[in-house]
């Protein structure tokens, strides 16, 4: 389930390249307009399941589409309109998001240390899709996948996998699958019984070649956290139920921070 939100500014605005955290905060604020309890639950707790060492929010959002799109040295200048996708597999999340939007049709972002008010002028409920066992997608926001490694001090720390590093490529795909399975089991509160279904994930080699192998993005999040993620069209072969979860909740990790939002390539 997903909606496309269009909002306008009352004056030309500037957005930095790294705006994911302010946008995430604005989304929680919109949900809070409908239910402060549910917004607090999502932000501070999320969905969990015994035996799975992960917490899921089960929503993601795309990068912003700016109009006009005037790229400057530090960000996007003279913006008058933004557009983005909000996607979730949880009906309650979508309901509170929509109710929050229509409470006063305003979004409030903290950009460059200043408050920015936007007026929401349109909300489109997008068509529900049915997936086969093999699909192609484009990224509406980059995909982050991590694993734990031991640093030079002997401590286990998260390491964001780089698909372009050959020794990390298989682990990248494996962790994509494991993440989808964990989401499935948490969402349904049941074991996933189709683990033997074929699974493959690979970014488009032609696109990679055109980009000279540069498909990684380094995103600065709150508290100067750096998140490395990959952005390129990809093909996935998997159980359609897992593909649906990837599409609606986000692929990989950090989905509620604006990572892993995609759109299928349909003829």
């Amino acid at each position: 389930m997903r909606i496309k939100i269009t909002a306008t500014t009352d004056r030309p605005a500037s957005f930095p390249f790294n705006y994911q955290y302010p946008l995430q905060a604005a989304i929680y604020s919109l949900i809070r307009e409908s239910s402060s309890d549910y917004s607090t639950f999502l932000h501070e707790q999320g969905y969990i399941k015994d035996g799975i060492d992960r917490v899921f929010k089960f929503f993601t959002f795309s990068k912003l589409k700016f109009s006009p799109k005037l790229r400057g040295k530090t960000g996007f200048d003279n913006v008058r309109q933004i557009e983005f996708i909000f996607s979730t597999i949880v009906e309650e999340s979508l309901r509170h998001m929509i109710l929050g939007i229509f409470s006063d049709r305003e979004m409030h972002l903290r950009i460059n240390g200043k408050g920015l008010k936007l007026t929401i002028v349109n909300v489109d409920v997008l068509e529900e899709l049915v997936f086969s066992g093999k699909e192609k997608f484009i990224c509406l926001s980059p995909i982050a996948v991590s694993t734990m490694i031991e640093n030079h001090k002997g401590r286990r720390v998260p390491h964001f996998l780089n698909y372009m590093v050959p020794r990390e490529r298989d682990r990248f795909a494996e962790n994509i699958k494991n993440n989808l399975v964990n989401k499935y089991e948490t969402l349904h509160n049941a074991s996933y019984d189709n683990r033997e279904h074929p699974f493959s994930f690979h970014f488009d080699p032609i696109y990679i070649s055109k980009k000279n192998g540069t498909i990684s993005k380094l995103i600065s999040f709150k508290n100067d956290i750096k998140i490395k993620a990959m952005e390129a069209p990809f093909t996935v072969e998997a159980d359609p139920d897992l593909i649906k979860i990837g599409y609606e909740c986000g692929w990989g990790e950090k989905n509620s921070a604006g990572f892993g939002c995609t759109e299928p390539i349909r003829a």
Side-chain angles (χ1 to χ4, degrees):
M1 299 173 289
R2 53 179 51 190
I3 55 178
K4 181 171 69 175
I5 300 161
T6 306
T8 58
T9 63
D10 57 1
R11 64 185 188 278
S14 295
F15 284 75
F17 291 127
N18 295 293
Y19 54 75
Q20 281 85 346
Y21 179 61
L23 182 54
Q24 181 196 50
I27 287 170
Y28 278 120
S29 293
L30 286 171
I31 294 172
R32 189 179 303 115
E33 288 292 323
S34 172
S35 172
S36 60
D37 288 343
Y38 188 70
S39 178
T40 299
F41 161 75
L42 271 186
H43 186 262
E44 298 183 3
Q45 180 178 337
Y47 294 90
I48 58 176
K49 182 182 183 299
D50 289 342
I52 295 177
D53 187 25
R54 291 288 185 274
V55 176
F56 298 111
K57 311 302 175 71
F58 289 131
F59 76 83
T60 188
F61 56 91
S62 70
K63 295 186 295 185
L64 293 176
K65 181 179 179 181
F66 297 108
S67 181
K69 189 176 181 179
L70 301 175
R71 188 183 182 98
K73 291 183 178 180
T74 60
F76 301 93
D77 300 325
N78 297 314
V79 174
R80 298 307 303 263
Q81 177 175 294
I82 64 169
E83 180 183 292
F84 70 98
I85 300 293
F86 173 83
S87 182
T88 181
I89 203 167
V90 179
E91 289 186 9
E92 189 172 8
S93 295
L94 185 66
R95 178 168 61 87
H96 286 306
M97 182 69 170
I98 291 175
L99 288 174
I101 287 171
F102 285 103
S103 65
D104 62 8
R105 286 184 170 271
E106 290 183 356
M107 281 182 65
H108 297 271
L109 284 80
R110 192 75 180 170
I111 298 293
N112 296 324
K114 298 179 180 179
L116 174 64
K117 183 183 79 172
L118 298 102
T119 301
I120 298 172
V121 296
N122 202 44
V123 179
D124 293 316
V125 179
L126 302 185
E127 177 187 5
E128 292 278 335
L129 299 180
V130 176
F131 296 101
S132 68
K134 187 175 184 180
E135 298 282 350
K136 295 181 178 180
F137 290 89
I138 59 172
C139 289
L140 301 182
S141 62
I143 299 172
V145 178
S146 72
T147 191
M148 298 300 291
I149 63 170
E150 191 173 284
N151 67 10
H152 65 283
K153 295 181 179 179
R155 297 176 182 172
R156 289 183 61 77
V157 296
H159 165 70
F160 288 101
L161 294 168
N162 187 339
Y163 182 89
M164 295 307 300
V165 176
R167 67 178 181 275
E168 296 188 356
R169 187 167 297 178
D170 288 345
R171 176 64 64 87
F172 190 99
E174 179 184 352
N175 285 12
I176 287 277
K177 178 183 179 180
N178 291 340
N179 177 273
L180 292 171
V181 170
N182 286 338
K183 284 172 179 167
Y184 179 98
E185 294 188 339
T186 303
L187 181 68
H188 296 286
N189 194 29
S191 297
Y192 177 71
D193 296 325
N194 204 9
R195 291 178 180 268
E196 299 307 313
H197 192 288
F199 184 92
S200 66
F201 178 102
H202 63 269
F203 288 113
D204 183 353
I206 297 176
Y207 180 89
I208 291 174
S209 178
K210 289 180 179 178
K211 292 291 184 177
N212 295 318
T214 306
I215 63 169
S216 66
K217 307 287 183 180
L218 189 62
I219 310 296
S220 294
F221 206 62
K222 66 175 181 176
N223 300 326
D224 202 33
I225 295 172
K226 304 292 185 183
I227 299 174
K228 178 174 283 188
M230 305 290 116
E231 187 172 7
F234 65 89
T235 299
V236 59
E237 181 178 359
D239 178 351
D241 287 341
L242 295 188
I243 293 178
K244 178 180 175 65
I245 287 174
Y247 170 71
E248 295 196 335
C249 304
W251 301 86
E253 305 164 25
K254 311 293 185 184
N255 304 135
S256 64
F259 290 85
C261 188
T262 64
E263 182 175 85
I265 300 172
R266 295 283 169 93

